[in-house]
Amino acid sequence: MRLTLFGFFGISFLCAGAESILFSRIGPNQSILYVSNADGSAERALTPAGAMNYNATWSAKGDWIAFTSERDGSADIYRMHPDGSGVERLTEHPAYDDQAAFSPDGKRIVFVTTRAGGTADLWILDVATRKAHALTSGPGGDFRPSWSPDGKWIAFSSDRASNLPMAKGRWERLQVASIYLIHPDGSGLRRVSELGNFCGSPKWTADSKSVVSYCMSAEETWTYRSPGAFEGETNLVRFDIATGKPTPVVAGPGIKMSPSVLPSGEIGFFRRDAKAQGVVYASGGLGPQGNVLRSPAWSPDGKQVVYGRIATNRSVEPVKLWSPNPKYDLYTSIFLPAYDASGEHLAVTKRTGSSTALHVVDEGKPARVLLERQGLILAPQFSPDGRKVAFGFGVFESFLDFAIGNNKPVDRVNGGAQVGVINIDGTGFRALTSGANNNAFPSYSPDGNRLVYRTTGPEGDGLRVMNLEDGSISTLTKEYDNFALWSPRGDLIAFVRQLGGNFQVFTIRPDGTNVRQLTNITGNEAHLAWSPDGERILFCSTRMGFKDEVMYVGAPQPYGEIFMMRKDGTGVEQLTDNQWEEGGPAWKPMKKLSAQK
């Protein structure tokens, strides 16, 4: 039978099949490649609107531009001539392929792929035969390769030595990466830059004796990853590959990335600060401008530059995505969606400015707003009879504050939050909880008589169960637990618990017995959803790590992928594989699908 998925990290309506899942994606939904003169003049589009084309790079002769495209499904490597003609698909694999770089003779391409185990490794493609083989392997991710002009080395960034530390006061993971070298035959692997912070996107000087990279502290990989961060500074550094000696490159202020060494010795890069967003040159000149510009790459003579311009338009209504598994249909929408028991109604929230609106999407009809208020509304859940929606609401602005890591220690209460409820017609909004704690992520029992939710703060941590008939509250757990979700069968409650700096999936019986750990990873598991039959659990996971340097993605958690497992933790299956942030899955009940047949 065919499954259909939607998800939070989106949303989905199923047209055919047995089951359906939603999830939300944080990332652009359009990226157009452009080429211009080095100063930004004579800009023209190379790829059509409405598709995802990005991370372009020139061949050494200047006759080809390799780039990544999702036009046929997964991210794959393509090439075209500099005028946009002669487009050819070079890789065709359901895994994620990206970040290509030509060999000096143009006969080979080194690229990033997840086709061997799910983490980001470097592979080499023979352009003529289309055959590819692995260059690197092992835990962690390898990113942004660059082939030396003499053909002897490939430089790249890698977080292979990182344990994915959390940002200060946050739950997101820092990207700790260094510059490495490897011969094209796989020998001679060695690290050039220091461990413990971040250096990325190495580009070679013409003599093949050094690389230029952009560097920052590990903590700044959180602070600066938002495209809206305009205050701060990264450094451009030249590394001698023989000695590893770093030499600062004078390039002015701002958040600088994507450096390249032009034939004249000039260094061009992307800069983001209050005064300039776009291509800047170390000597002070400007190239094409705009904060939506991404990954500039210069022609061999330095006279032209190719780059992407992105657009992000997130819809409350579901948008279909490509699925790597033909058993499933994937869709996306906005934020932490949930279906009712019939599968005919979908609840989702959308943030605009400083306020959030709770929407309900009735299948086949436009979305309607049930409630709008300042602050956040999070994680709506329908009552079993579909007549009410419960959710968390409050100020807690630092949920989306990229700068909090540098500004304050952990504050899980963060202004407080309460569990609220509203009728499906938009009437009867009221708070179910009160007090100084942060109360959120409610979930109804299948009989509708109880509600489980998470709490944290001075009144204690853990999961609480509210009796909706008399308002009494009982303690289910006392640890820092989150994302509680009652099984449709009523026998289990799934939740996420923090253990030693990592977040794992657990289940517990509603009476507090039989606590069982289902996952054990370094990183985060989050955002759970039960299958309608109560046999499987969807969850978001960091277990495959970063697939690109975090500064290029523009999402808080670009390592988020959707996974599925049985309720006992076995049979884990990966459902998404890309560099965007995905999470908050919702599973569409079978009842509606049966009615559609």
Side-chain angles (χ1 to χ4, degrees):
M1 304 179 79
R2 182 176 175 83
L3 302 179
T4 300
L5 297 102
F6 312 88
F8 170 138
F9 284 125
I11 303 177
S12 120
F13 287 111
L14 184 63
C15 296
E19 294 172 297
S20 177
I21 302 167
L22 312 163
F23 61 91
S24 170
R25 168 176 288 184
I26 298 179
N29 54 14
Q30 176 178 277
S31 180
I32 302 173
L33 292 179
Y34 292 84
V35 66
S36 75
N37 295 331
D39 64 2
S41 63
E43 179 181 270
R44 63 187 188 279
L46 293 178
T47 59
M52 289 292 295
N53 300 285
Y54 48 91
N55 288 339
T57 186
W58 298 77
S59 64
K61 294 180 180 180
D63 53 344
W64 289 104
I65 293 175
F67 64 101
T68 303
S69 181
E70 298 178 14
R71 63 185 64 191
D72 294 314
S74 64
D76 277 301
I77 307 299
Y78 292 70
R79 71 174 179 174
M80 63 183 167
H81 294 302
D83 62 359
S85 66
V87 177
E88 298 179 16
R89 187 175 184 176
L90 300 182
T91 68
E92 189 170 354
H93 197 281
Y96 162 76
D97 295 342
D98 188 21
Q99 304 161 54
F102 281 99
S103 62
D105 61 9
K107 295 181 179 180
R108 292 177 292 173
I109 285 177
V110 59
F111 65 102
V112 173
T113 183
T114 59
R115 59 180 71 185
T119 58
D121 299 315
L122 301 185
W123 280 45
I124 290 181
L125 172 77
D126 184 288
V127 175
T129 66
R130 304 292 199 266
K131 293 182 178 180
H133 66 272
L135 179 66
T136 66
S137 61
D142 301 329
F143 325 107
R144 299 281 162 171
S146 177
W147 217 306
S148 65
D150 63 11
K152 295 180 180 179
W153 290 102
I154 293 171
F156 62 99
S157 61
S158 178
D159 63 7
R160 58 182 55 213
S162 172
N163 62 352
L164 295 177
M166 284 192 289
K168 180 175 61 178
R170 302 291 301 191
W171 55 89
E172 294 88 353
R173 300 287 164 167
L174 302 177
Q175 190 173 37
V176 179
S178 302
I179 303 301
Y180 287 78
L181 299 176
I182 191 171
H183 290 304
D185 65 2
S187 65
L189 176 67
R190 61 186 175 92
R191 179 174 51 83
V192 174
S193 67
E194 66 175 5
L195 292 171
N197 287 303
F198 175 92
C199 285
S201 294
K203 291 294 189 301
W204 290 91
T205 55
D207 60 7
S208 298
K209 293 183 178 180
S210 60
V211 294
V212 174
S213 175
Y214 73 107
C215 301
M216 69 193 86
S217 70
E219 190 66 33
E220 286 170 328
T221 67
W222 160 251
T223 308
Y224 298 157
R225 71 181 61 172
S226 165
F230 297 120
E231 295 183 4
E233 185 169 344
T234 61
N235 300 308
L236 299 187
V237 180
R238 187 189 305 266
F239 292 98
D240 183 280
I241 67 165
T243 65
K245 180 181 177 181
T247 302
V249 174
V250 178
I255 300 169
K256 302 175 286 290
M257 64 188 88
S258 300
S260 286
V261 183
L262 279 61
S264 64
E266 175 72 278
I267 294 177
F269 53 92
F270 177 84
R271 170 181 157 189
R272 189 174 68 222
D273 64 14
K275 295 183 178 180
Q277 299 94 47
V279 170
V280 176
Y281 297 95
S283 62
L286 298 179
Q289 295 294 289
N291 191 38
V292 297
L293 189 149
R294 293 290 183 273
S295 302
W298 280 261
S299 59
D301 60 9
K303 294 180 178 181
Q304 292 181 293
V305 58
V306 63
Y307 45 89
R309 291 191 185 276
I310 65 167
T312 302
N313 299 302
R314 296 176 186 142
S315 172
V316 172
E317 284 79 16
V319 176
K320 191 171 185 179
L321 302 172
W322 176 81
S323 173
N325 189 326
K327 294 187 300 181
Y328 306 100
D329 288 336
L330 301 179
Y331 291 75
T332 183
S333 180
I334 303 288
F335 214 49
L336 294 173
Y339 277 112
D340 72 347
S342 72
E344 297 179 3
H345 308 287
L346 178 66
V348 65
T349 61
K350 181 177 182 179
R351 185 175 176 86
T352 304
S354 61
S355 66
T356 308
L358 171 62
H359 295 259
V360 167
V361 182
D362 304 314
E363 190 165 358
K365 299 179 180 179
R368 54 191 173 92
V369 176
L370 292 190
L371 177 69
E372 185 169 4
R373 58 180 292 123
Q374 291 294 303
L376 285 176
I377 302 173
L378 281 179
Q381 290 288 324
F382 283 94
S383 60
D385 60 11
R387 296 179 180 179
K388 298 179 184 295
V389 179
F391 48 88
F393 69 95
V395 179
F396 45 112
E397 293 297 320
S398 65
F399 181 84
L400 298 174
D401 181 0
F402 278 80
I404 188 176
N406 282 346
N407 292 344
K408 62 190 293 187
V410 62
D411 177 12
R412 287 171 174 158
V413 177
N414 192 18
Q418 305 301 337
V419 172
V421 67
I422 193 169
N423 296 326
I424 195 65
D425 63 2
T427 64
F429 167 63
R430 62 189 176 97
L432 296 178
T433 63
S434 61
N437 267 24
N438 188 308
N439 305 305
F441 296 99
S443 174
Y444 283 94
S445 61
D447 60 12
N449 295 328
R450 291 173 291 173
L451 198 70
V452 62
Y453 62 95
R454 78 96 196 268
T455 191
T456 185
E459 298 170 357
D461 295 335
L463 304 182
R464 303 293 184 264
V465 176
M466 175 181 288
N467 186 313
L468 294 174
E469 294 181 352
D470 59 17
S472 62
I473 297 173
S474 60
T475 298
L476 186 64
T477 70
K478 296 182 179 181
E479 305 294 329
Y480 181 63
D481 299 331
N482 208 352
F483 307 125
L485 205 62
W486 219 305
S487 165
R489 292 185 170 186
D491 58 335
L492 295 173
I493 293 172
F495 65 97
V496 172
R497 171 170 290 178
Q498 185 177 16
L499 290 178
N502 299 305
F503 292 86
Q504 315 291 356
V505 180
F506 284 73
T507 56
I508 188 173
R509 294 194 181 278
D511 62 4
T513 63
N514 198 28
V515 178
R516 184 172 186 178
Q517 183 175 346
L518 302 187
T519 65
N520 184 17
I521 68 159
T522 298
N524 299 350
E525 317 274 40
H527 301 295
L528 312 177
W530 284 96
S531 62
D533 61 4
E535 288 296 318
R536 290 163 290 170
I537 300 173
L538 289 167
F539 61 101
C540 176
S541 178
T542 73
R543 61 181 62 198
M544 294 308 176
F546 293 93
K547 294 182 174 66
D548 194 359
E549 293 172 8
V550 68
M551 297 288 286
Y552 294 109
V553 183
Q557 302 174 92
Y559 38 66
E561 301 283 10
I562 305 299
F563 287 77
M564 179 194 302
M565 64 182 169
R566 300 187 187 98
K567 65 179 182 179
D568 62 0
T570 63
V572 175
E573 180 180 359
Q574 185 174 352
L575 300 182
T576 64
D577 184 12
N578 55 67
Q579 75 274 48
W580 317 119
E581 177 178 348
E582 295 175 335
W587 208 314
K588 189 172 183 180
M590 294 176 63
K591 181 178 179 180
K592 175 62 178 177
L593 299 180
S594 298
Q596 289 178 336
K597 292 182 179 179

